Amino acid sequence: MPSRPNYSGSEAKLVIAIDIGTTYSGASYTFLKPGSVPHIFDVKGFKLAMRPASMRIDTPPITLPPGRTLVEVFGDFLRYMYDCVHADIVKSHAGGEQIWVSLHDSAHFILSHPNGWGSLQQSRMRQAAIEGGLIPNTSEGKERVEFVSEGEASFHWCVEETVAEKALKAGTKIVVADLGGGTIDVSSFRVVDPKPLRLQETPLLPDCVVAGSITVTDRFVKAIRARLQETPYGDQDSMETLREEFDSETKCLFRDEADKSLYIRIGGRRDHHEDSLCKIEYGILEVQRNEVERAFEPSIEATVQAIKKHVEGQQNVPYDPSDPEHKKRAHKLQTDPTSGEVSVPGGFHPLVQKVCGPSRL
């Protein structure tokens, strides 16, 4: 673990970092004491609804609790994580309750979000922190909330855990891919100086693609539901059982092996059914390997495209059909497999428009 510098501030602070994930969430905290080296303590789905409108997603509609808005639900989750931090401080530190009482009213918060989120999403997250009771609805309170992209947070984790230590040489380009439950976040940096660490973002914009692990499950369940809709097992209960089994077992254990068939629980031991659409014995559904492969393929393709773009240093530009230079390159257009966005590859973007006809100068 690289050494951290002493905290140079003049007042003690409590800083809490919270990551509300699509499938898992986490929190950590540190006490900033003047002149001391900070130590970080770790506290051992609906988020996609807050995505920008430009992020297309092919997952089931998200149902919120009756009478609760999206921001209020997000605030509930933030409050839960905040309470977990409180409990951990009280349990893990001598005089923990006194420490909490003295610092929590001025605590600073760092909230993570996918690379593609902007000021609108940050504003809603800040409002959720207010709804959850983390900060007061004042200018001073709002200033206590800061944000970090998941790509940047992933890189800092790599540095903290010395995963990227060998790559930290001046001039080295580093590509970080965070393959999450909801999104694939890819960022690239160039090392300016390894000690103290100084980074420079590359000209490529960070990528955020809604192609995380939850989308693999959604594609698989959607395909099986379509196949079984004319059988007794196309109902919601069977699909929920299938989703849980695929998400916790089949998807995690799936490998590039020779077996053509896989078996997934969809019902109870008394469930038996066989026709041209499906075969179920003792509640176990037989599926073909290629059905699982098709669920993975769009996410794999989107991940590879995003990483290759950063490794090769190419910046795709959204296709503008009214731009004559883009029209000339129509045969090179690429379509994102998840978002459907059409772009011109290779970083082509006219900085100065071509002047047609005689110059007026």
Side-chain angles (χ1 to χ4, degrees), residues 95-116:
E97 186 61 41
Q98 288 73 26
I99 294 174
W100 177 262
V101 169
S102 65
L103 296 176
H104 83 279
D105 281 339
S106 58
H108 285 245
F109 296 89
I110 300 172
L111 306 182
S112 65
H113 60 71
N115 286 353

mmCIF file of all heavy atoms in Angstrom, residues 95-116:
data_model
loop_
_atom_site.group_PDB
_atom_site.id
_atom_site.type_symbol
_atom_site.label_atom_id
_atom_site.label_comp_id
_atom_site.label_asym_id
_atom_site.label_seq_id
_atom_site.Cartn_x
_atom_site.Cartn_y
_atom_site.Cartn_z
ATOM 1 N N GLY A 95 -14.621 4.933 22.395
ATOM 2 C CA GLY A 95 -15.290 6.230 22.450
ATOM 3 C C GLY A 95 -15.973 6.572 21.142
ATOM 4 O O GLY A 95 -16.111 7.750 20.794
ATOM 5 N N GLY A 96 -16.410 5.530 20.418
ATOM 6 C CA GLY A 96 -16.976 5.738 19.093
ATOM 7 C C GLY A 96 -18.192 6.644 19.068
ATOM 8 O O GLY A 96 -18.339 7.483 18.160
ATOM 9 N N GLU A 97 -19.078 6.506 20.060
ATOM 10 C CA GLU A 97 -20.281 7.340 20.079
ATOM 11 C C GLU A 97 -19.909 8.808 20.272
ATOM 12 O O GLU A 97 -20.503 9.701 19.645
ATOM 13 C CB GLU A 97 -21.227 6.877 21.193
ATOM 14 C CG GLU A 97 -22.578 7.592 21.188
ATOM 15 C CD GLU A 97 -23.356 7.352 19.888
ATOM 16 O OE1 GLU A 97 -23.353 6.210 19.377
ATOM 17 O OE2 GLU A 97 -23.949 8.329 19.384
ATOM 18 N N GLN A 98 -18.915 9.074 21.127
ATOM 19 C CA GLN A 98 -18.483 10.462 21.331
ATOM 20 C C GLN A 98 -17.842 11.024 20.059
ATOM 21 O O GLN A 98 -18.043 12.193 19.720
ATOM 22 C CB GLN A 98 -17.486 10.537 22.500
ATOM 23 C CG GLN A 98 -18.096 10.334 23.882
ATOM 24 C CD GLN A 98 -18.492 8.892 24.146
ATOM 25 O OE1 GLN A 98 -17.923 7.969 23.551
ATOM 26 N NE2 GLN A 98 -19.470 8.703 25.026
ATOM 27 N N ILE A 99 -17.072 10.184 19.374
ATOM 28 C CA ILE A 99 -16.469 10.621 18.105
ATOM 29 C C ILE A 99 -17.562 10.971 17.108
ATOM 30 O O ILE A 99 -17.511 12.004 16.432
ATOM 31 C CB ILE A 99 -15.561 9.510 17.533
ATOM 32 C CG1 ILE A 99 -14.362 9.266 18.442
ATOM 33 C CG2 ILE A 99 -15.081 9.873 16.130
ATOM 34 C CD1 ILE A 99 -13.504 8.077 18.012
ATOM 35 N N TRP A 100 -18.575 10.099 17.022
ATOM 36 C CA TRP A 100 -19.676 10.326 16.084
ATOM 37 C C TRP A 100 -20.420 11.616 16.406
ATOM 38 O O TRP A 100 -20.686 12.437 15.514
ATOM 39 C CB TRP A 100 -20.640 9.138 16.119
ATOM 40 C CG TRP A 100 -21.845 9.317 15.237
ATOM 41 C CD1 TRP A 100 -23.096 9.727 15.612
ATOM 42 C CD2 TRP A 100 -21.899 9.111 13.824
ATOM 43 N NE1 TRP A 100 -23.928 9.786 14.534
ATOM 44 C CE2 TRP A 100 -23.215 9.413 13.416
ATOM 45 C CE3 TRP A 100 -20.969 8.702 12.883
ATOM 46 C CZ2 TRP A 100 -23.621 9.314 12.091
ATOM 47 C CZ3 TRP A 100 -21.368 8.605 11.560
ATOM 48 C CH2 TRP A 100 -22.680 8.913 11.185
ATOM 49 N N VAL A 101 -20.746 11.811 17.664
ATOM 50 C CA VAL A 101 -21.491 13.008 18.082
ATOM 51 C C VAL A 101 -20.720 14.283 17.738
ATOM 52 O O VAL A 101 -21.296 15.285 17.308
ATOM 53 C CB VAL A 101 -21.803 12.945 19.594
ATOM 54 C CG1 VAL A 101 -22.337 14.293 20.091
ATOM 55 C CG2 VAL A 101 -22.822 11.840 19.875
ATOM 56 N N SER A 102 -19.403 14.236 17.889
ATOM 57 C CA SER A 102 -18.601 15.448 17.673
ATOM 58 C C SER A 102 -18.366 15.757 16.195
ATOM 59 O O SER A 102 -18.093 16.913 15.845
ATOM 60 C CB SER A 102 -17.253 15.312 18.389
ATOM 61 O OG SER A 102 -16.475 14.272 17.813
ATOM 62 N N LEU A 103 -18.482 14.741 15.314
ATOM 63 C CA LEU A 103 -18.095 14.958 13.915
ATOM 64 C C LEU A 103 -19.208 14.792 12.880
ATOM 65 O O LEU A 103 -19.104 15.318 11.775
ATOM 66 C CB LEU A 103 -16.950 14.008 13.537
ATOM 67 C CG LEU A 103 -15.618 14.193 14.263
ATOM 68 C CD1 LEU A 103 -14.632 13.112 13.827
ATOM 69 C CD2 LEU A 103 -15.042 15.586 13.963
ATOM 70 N N HIS A 104 -20.288 14.059 13.212
ATOM 71 C CA HIS A 104 -21.222 13.690 12.143
ATOM 72 C C HIS A 104 -21.988 14.875 11.564
ATOM 73 O O HIS A 104 -22.384 14.860 10.391
ATOM 74 C CB HIS A 104 -22.192 12.603 12.622
ATOM 75 C CG HIS A 104 -23.364 13.120 13.392
ATOM 76 N ND1 HIS A 104 -23.306 13.441 14.727
ATOM 77 C CD2 HIS A 104 -24.645 13.364 13.006
ATOM 78 C CE1 HIS A 104 -24.480 13.854 15.132
ATOM 79 N NE2 HIS A 104 -25.316 13.832 14.116
ATOM 80 N N ASP A 105 -22.197 15.926 12.355
ATOM 81 C CA ASP A 105 -22.935 17.089 11.843
ATOM 82 C C ASP A 105 -22.152 17.871 10.790
ATOM 83 O O ASP A 105 -22.727 18.672 10.062
ATOM 84 C CB ASP A 105 -23.314 18.035 12.995
ATOM 85 C CG ASP A 105 -24.533 17.536 13.759
ATOM 86 O OD1 ASP A 105 -25.290 16.723 13.179
ATOM 87 O OD2 ASP A 105 -24.728 17.946 14.911
ATOM 88 N N SER A 106 -20.825 17.648 10.724
ATOM 89 C CA SER A 106 -20.012 18.350 9.732
ATOM 90 C C SER A 106 -19.354 17.367 8.756
ATOM 91 O O SER A 106 -18.416 17.732 8.042
ATOM 92 C CB SER A 106 -18.932 19.185 10.425
ATOM 93 O OG SER A 106 -18.102 18.351 11.229
ATOM 94 N N ALA A 107 -19.845 16.124 8.739
ATOM 95 C CA ALA A 107 -19.242 15.095 7.891
ATOM 96 C C ALA A 107 -19.320 15.468 6.418
ATOM 97 O O ALA A 107 -20.298 16.067 5.950
ATOM 98 C CB ALA A 107 -19.924 13.748 8.122
ATOM 99 N N HIS A 108 -18.268 15.119 5.676
ATOM 100 C CA HIS A 108 -18.244 15.307 4.224
ATOM 101 C C HIS A 108 -18.523 13.962 3.563
ATOM 102 O O HIS A 108 -18.111 12.907 4.068
ATOM 103 C CB HIS A 108 -16.894 15.859 3.775
ATOM 104 C CG HIS A 108 -16.710 17.306 4.082
ATOM 105 N ND1 HIS A 108 -16.591 18.279 3.120
ATOM 106 C CD2 HIS A 108 -16.655 17.964 5.271
ATOM 107 C CE1 HIS A 108 -16.452 19.456 3.681
ATOM 108 N NE2 HIS A 108 -16.483 19.298 4.995
ATOM 109 N N PHE A 109 -19.202 14.008 2.428
ATOM 110 C CA PHE A 109 -19.612 12.785 1.750
ATOM 111 C C PHE A 109 -19.054 12.752 0.327
ATOM 112 O O PHE A 109 -19.051 13.772 -0.376
ATOM 113 C CB PHE A 109 -21.135 12.683 1.699
ATOM 114 C CG PHE A 109 -21.768 12.576 3.049
ATOM 115 C CD1 PHE A 109 -22.135 13.725 3.746
ATOM 116 C CD2 PHE A 109 -21.972 11.343 3.641
ATOM 117 C CE1 PHE A 109 -22.705 13.638 5.000
ATOM 118 C CE2 PHE A 109 -22.540 11.244 4.901
ATOM 119 C CZ PHE A 109 -22.909 12.394 5.589
ATOM 120 N N ILE A 110 -18.587 11.578 -0.071
ATOM 121 C CA ILE A 110 -18.137 11.359 -1.443
ATOM 122 C C ILE A 110 -19.021 10.263 -2.024
ATOM 123 O O ILE A 110 -19.014 9.125 -1.539
ATOM 124 C CB ILE A 110 -16.661 10.931 -1.493
ATOM 125 C CG1 ILE A 110 -15.778 12.020 -0.863
ATOM 126 C CG2 ILE A 110 -16.220 10.663 -2.931
ATOM 127 C CD1 ILE A 110 -14.334 11.624 -0.699
ATOM 128 N N LEU A 111 -19.781 10.604 -3.060
ATOM 129 C CA LEU A 111 -20.706 9.662 -3.680
ATOM 130 C C LEU A 111 -20.197 9.295 -5.069
ATOM 131 O O LEU A 111 -19.811 10.172 -5.845
ATOM 132 C CB LEU A 111 -22.110 10.274 -3.781
ATOM 133 C CG LEU A 111 -22.720 10.811 -2.476
ATOM 134 C CD1 LEU A 111 -24.120 11.346 -2.738
ATOM 135 C CD2 LEU A 111 -22.749 9.733 -1.390
ATOM 136 N N SER A 112 -20.201 8.016 -5.365
ATOM 137 C CA SER A 112 -19.729 7.569 -6.680
ATOM 138 C C SER A 112 -20.898 7.412 -7.638
ATOM 139 O O SER A 112 -22.043 7.177 -7.231
ATOM 140 C CB SER A 112 -18.986 6.234 -6.544
ATOM 141 O OG SER A 112 -19.873 5.222 -6.126
ATOM 142 N N HIS A 113 -20.595 7.549 -8.933
ATOM 143 C CA HIS A 113 -21.631 7.365 -9.953
ATOM 144 C C HIS A 113 -20.977 6.918 -11.262
ATOM 145 O O HIS A 113 -19.766 7.099 -11.447
ATOM 146 C CB HIS A 113 -22.429 8.658 -10.171
ATOM 147 C CG HIS A 113 -21.601 9.828 -10.617
ATOM 148 N ND1 HIS A 113 -21.052 9.917 -11.886
ATOM 149 C CD2 HIS A 113 -21.228 10.965 -9.984
ATOM 150 C CE1 HIS A 113 -20.381 11.052 -12.007
ATOM 151 N NE2 HIS A 113 -20.470 11.700 -10.851
ATOM 152 N N PRO A 114 -21.723 6.325 -12.174
ATOM 153 C CA PRO A 114 -21.156 5.886 -13.455
ATOM 154 C C PRO A 114 -20.521 7.030 -14.231
ATOM 155 O O PRO A 114 -20.894 8.203 -14.067
ATOM 156 C CB PRO A 114 -22.370 5.324 -14.207
ATOM 157 C CG PRO A 114 -23.307 4.890 -13.116
ATOM 158 C CD PRO A 114 -23.127 5.905 -12.023
ATOM 159 N N ASN A 115 -19.577 6.674 -15.100
ATOM 160 C CA ASN A 115 -18.845 7.685 -15.869
ATOM 161 C C ASN A 115 -19.756 8.620 -16.652
ATOM 162 O O ASN A 115 -19.475 9.792 -16.813
ATOM 163 C CB ASN A 115 -17.898 6.998 -16.865
ATOM 164 C CG ASN A 115 -16.688 6.383 -16.183
ATOM 165 O OD1 ASN A 115 -16.481 6.564 -14.991
ATOM 166 N ND2 ASN A 115 -15.892 5.647 -16.934
ATOM 167 N N GLY A 116 -20.863 8.091 -17.165
ATOM 168 C CA GLY A 116 -21.689 8.885 -18.066
ATOM 169 C C GLY A 116 -22.624 9.857 -17.383
ATOM 170 O O GLY A 116 -23.377 10.559 -18.065
#
